[in-house]
């Protein structure tokens, strides 16, 4: 049971949580508390009223004191929770909806995902996810139901998101959420033990409930774009890269109509990122096998969305089979149907001074890497966009 008093400026809270936990779980506990607090206290005030300019710069900050409960619950003696643009993200969660079903033929789903989001982070503690990759020292937390991720990001990335949030909102609503950009759920800053953690919450690309047999992180670059031993060691399904994809002669068999729909989305999303001077993003691709997944085989007792309901999910694309090949049913003894998860990730890298310097260094290091910097990944946004789309096509 939580008890807190809240003031807009310098809020003070006292929280009681009897759960015993190790010090290593402190950040996870603080994150769960923060999600619960945000959605119970702040979401209730985020009504259907239209967003205004002030919402895109608004913040809500709370200082939490737990001095009397530190021994019993394992939380830090105090911490500070800061949520950026709470009304904007509440509206985004409402726009994305709980079912997230949006097909290439125009069928859509609706409803708010706020309760799904809250339950995912508060019913059970999240887990650090060693299979996910990120820039620099980024780390990932996976919600217990696998539907959402939280990523620690750099302060510069948080700044990039705040600068482009208004445009991101317009892009998402203009295309009626029919986008392959990450579905962003919330942006927090948690300060504890003298450290600041910027945490970005988003929906998972791979939440299908069916086995993932391969996954790729694709940029369209060919220099240093092969998974290393360190990338693959200890991972049941390692994240492979562009050269691995090319070497395996892999391909997404989706048929011409679905390909056209995917490329239309990608062109629209990439144009948005190029306008904001963003590069170094990736297309995350997963290859799944259709299988009957029993409740006992799942990591938790959560009911994952059924693959039947998600066949035309924004992220899930059913495999296309030639007309002369009979499509097997999920329970057939023949080759199982495969389908693909696709979504864009890492959309917060600005082509600023650091990346410009990196580009200059790589031009000297790889002088023969293509006439228009076609090989190494760090290139200006317009070149990056053109190469990315060409590779995807």
């Amino acid at each position: 049971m939580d008890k807190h008093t809240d003031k807009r400026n310098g809020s003070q809270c006292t929280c009681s949580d009897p759960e015993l936990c190790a010090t290593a779980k402190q950040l996870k506990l603080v994150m769960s508390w923060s999600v619960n607090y945000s959605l119970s206290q702040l979401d209730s005030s985020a009504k259907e009223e239209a967003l205004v300019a002030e919402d895109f710069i608004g913040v809500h900050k709370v200082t939490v004191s737990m001095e009397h409960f530190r021994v019993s619950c394992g939380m830090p003696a105090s911490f500070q929770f800061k949520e950026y643009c709470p009304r904007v993200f509440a509206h985004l969660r409402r726009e994305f909806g709980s079912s997230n079903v949006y097909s290439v033929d125009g069928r859509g789903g609706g409803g708010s995902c706020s309760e799904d989001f809250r339950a995912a982070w508060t019913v059970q503690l999240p887990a650090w996810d060693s299979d996910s990759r990120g820039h620099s020292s980024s780390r990932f937390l996976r919600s217990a139901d696998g539907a959402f991720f939280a990523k620690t990001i750099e302060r510069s990335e948080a700044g990039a998101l705040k600068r482009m949030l208004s445009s991101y909102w317009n892009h998402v609503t203009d295309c009626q959420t029919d986008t392959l950009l990450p579905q962003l759920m919330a942006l927090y800053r948690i300060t504890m033990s003298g450290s600041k953690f910027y945490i970005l919450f988003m929906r998972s690309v791979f939440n299908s409930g069916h086995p993932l047999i391969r996954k790729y992180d694709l940029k369209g670059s060919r220099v240093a774009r092969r998974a290393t031993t360190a990338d693959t060691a200890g991972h049941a399904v390692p994240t492979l890269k562009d050269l691995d994809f090319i070497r395996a002669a892999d391909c997404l068999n989706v048929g011409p109509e679905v390909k056209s729909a995917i490329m239309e989305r990608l062109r629209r999303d990439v144009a948005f990122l190029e306008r904001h001077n963003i590069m170094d993003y990736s297309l995350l691709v997963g290859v799944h096998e259709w299988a009957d997944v029993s409740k006992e085989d799942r990591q938790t007792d959560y009911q994952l969305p059924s693959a039947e309901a998600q066949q035309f999910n924004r992220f899930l694309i059913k495999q296309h089979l030639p007309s002369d090949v009979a499509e097997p049913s999920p329970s057939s003894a023949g080759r199982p149907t495969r389908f693909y998860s696709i979504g864009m990730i890492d959309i917060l890298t600005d082509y600023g001074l650091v990346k410009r310097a990196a580009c200059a260094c790589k031009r000297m290091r790889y002088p023969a890497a293509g006439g228009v910097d076609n090989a190494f990944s760090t290139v200006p946004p317009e070149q990056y966009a053109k190469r990315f789309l060409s590779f995807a096509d």
Side-chain angles (χ1 to χ4, degrees):
M1 179 178 179
D2 296 338
K3 296 190 298 180
H4 47 76
T5 57
D6 184 13
K7 299 178 182 178
R8 271 297 179 187
N9 297 315
S11 302
Q12 297 291 328
C13 295
T14 302
C15 174
S16 174
D17 185 344
E19 179 183 4
L20 296 176
C21 59
T23 302
K25 294 182 179 178
Q26 285 187 348
L27 183 56
K28 294 194 288 186
L29 284 166
V30 171
M31 284 177 55
S32 295
W33 183 95
S34 300
V35 170
N36 184 61
Y37 175 79
S38 173
L39 272 72
S40 62
Q41 300 298 314
L42 306 183
D43 248 33
S44 60
S45 63
K47 306 297 183 183
E48 294 289 344
E49 291 87 351
L51 295 172
V52 296
E54 289 76 10
D55 293 323
F56 291 92
I57 57 174
V59 298
H60 185 82
K61 182 161 50 176
V62 179
T63 299
V64 183
S65 176
M66 303 191 67
E67 295 175 351
H68 300 294
F69 307 101
R70 187 178 185 185
V71 174
S72 62
C73 74
M75 297 276 272
S78 64
F79 63 90
Q80 188 182 80
F81 160 67
K82 184 176 184 180
E83 181 172 15
Y84 296 94
C85 311
R87 291 195 73 245
V88 176
F89 283 105
H91 278 249
L92 281 169
R93 291 190 294 268
R94 186 156 41 241
E95 286 292 319
F96 288 132
S98 58
S99 62
N100 188 32
V101 176
Y102 198 94
S103 75
V104 294
D105 61 2
R107 295 179 299 173
S112 172
C113 73
S114 284
E115 285 308 310
D116 296 342
F117 181 71
R118 180 181 181 181
W121 294 103
T122 59
V123 173
Q124 288 182 263
L125 281 180
W128 293 108
D129 191 274
S130 59
D131 286 334
S132 296
R133 50 157 301 282
H135 291 306
S136 62
S137 58
S138 294
R139 297 185 66 191
F140 287 81
L141 275 163
R142 183 184 68 253
S143 65
D145 64 348
F148 302 97
F149 273 89
K151 176 186 179 184
T152 61
I153 62 175
E154 300 293 330
R155 180 180 179 181
S156 60
E157 293 177 299
L161 176 55
K162 288 186 285 182
R163 289 192 297 272
M164 67 190 288
L165 186 57
S166 178
S167 295
Y168 174 84
W169 162 258
N170 290 329
H171 182 80
V172 166
T173 53
D174 287 348
C175 67
Q176 298 180 303
T177 71
D178 186 20
T179 171
L180 291 173
L181 294 179
Q183 289 193 356
L184 305 181
M185 300 283 121
L187 175 63
Y188 297 167
R189 189 190 75 187
I190 292 174
T191 305
M192 53 178 280
S193 304
S195 299
K196 293 181 179 179
F197 302 90
Y198 292 88
I199 303 173
L200 179 61
F201 293 81
M202 66 199 83
R203 182 169 259 143
S204 172
V205 174
F206 294 146
N207 183 35
S208 72
H210 288 252
L212 181 68
I213 60 174
R214 286 194 306 281
K215 62 179 175 178
Y216 295 99
D217 177 296
L218 304 174
K219 294 179 182 290
S221 170
R222 303 189 184 190
V223 168
R225 292 296 297 165
R226 176 179 286 112
T228 65
T229 302
D231 293 329
T232 59
H235 300 301
V237 185
T239 301
L240 305 176
K241 300 180 181 180
D242 302 69
L243 291 177
D244 303 303
F245 187 87
I246 294 169
R247 184 178 180 181
D250 222 335
C251 182
L252 306 190
N253 299 302
V254 297
E257 292 183 4
V258 173
K259 175 188 173 180
S260 177
I262 293 171
M263 290 305 302
E264 180 182 353
R265 295 176 188 178
L266 280 177
R267 281 189 287 268
R268 187 170 57 211
D269 292 340
V270 166
F272 165 80
L273 296 175
E274 186 180 344
R275 288 196 301 272
H276 287 275
N277 205 40
I278 299 295
M279 43 77 66
D280 217 20
Y281 43 87
S282 301
L283 187 66
L284 190 62
V285 175
V287 183
H288 300 261
E289 277 189 342
W290 194 295
D292 292 326
V293 182
S294 66
K295 187 175 181 180
E296 291 73 20
D297 293 331
R298 295 172 179 163
Q299 294 181 353
T300 74
D301 289 337
Y302 277 82
Q303 283 294 324
L304 296 176
S306 68
E308 289 79 8
Q310 291 197 9
Q311 282 186 30
F312 296 99
N313 184 286
R314 181 179 64 95
F315 291 140
L316 300 185
I317 306 298
K318 196 174 181 181
Q319 183 186 42
H320 173 78
L321 297 175
S323 58
D324 60 342
V325 176
E327 182 176 347
S329 67
S331 60
S332 69
R335 178 171 59 88
T337 301
R338 290 184 178 177
F339 56 94
Y340 311 104
S341 307
I342 59 172
M344 297 178 70
I345 58 172
D346 296 337
I347 65 166
L348 299 178
T349 303
D350 180 75
Y351 189 67
L353 290 176
V354 173
K355 286 297 182 180
R356 292 174 190 272
C359 180
C361 291
K362 288 186 177 182
R363 280 178 176 150
M364 291 186 288
R365 184 177 179 183
Y366 305 108
V372 289
D373 304 313
N374 193 45
F376 53 80
S377 62
T378 309
V379 296
E382 61 275 10
Q383 294 181 19
Y384 194 97
K386 182 178 179 180
R387 184 183 62 196
F388 179 87
L389 290 173
S390 176
F391 190 91
D393 186 70

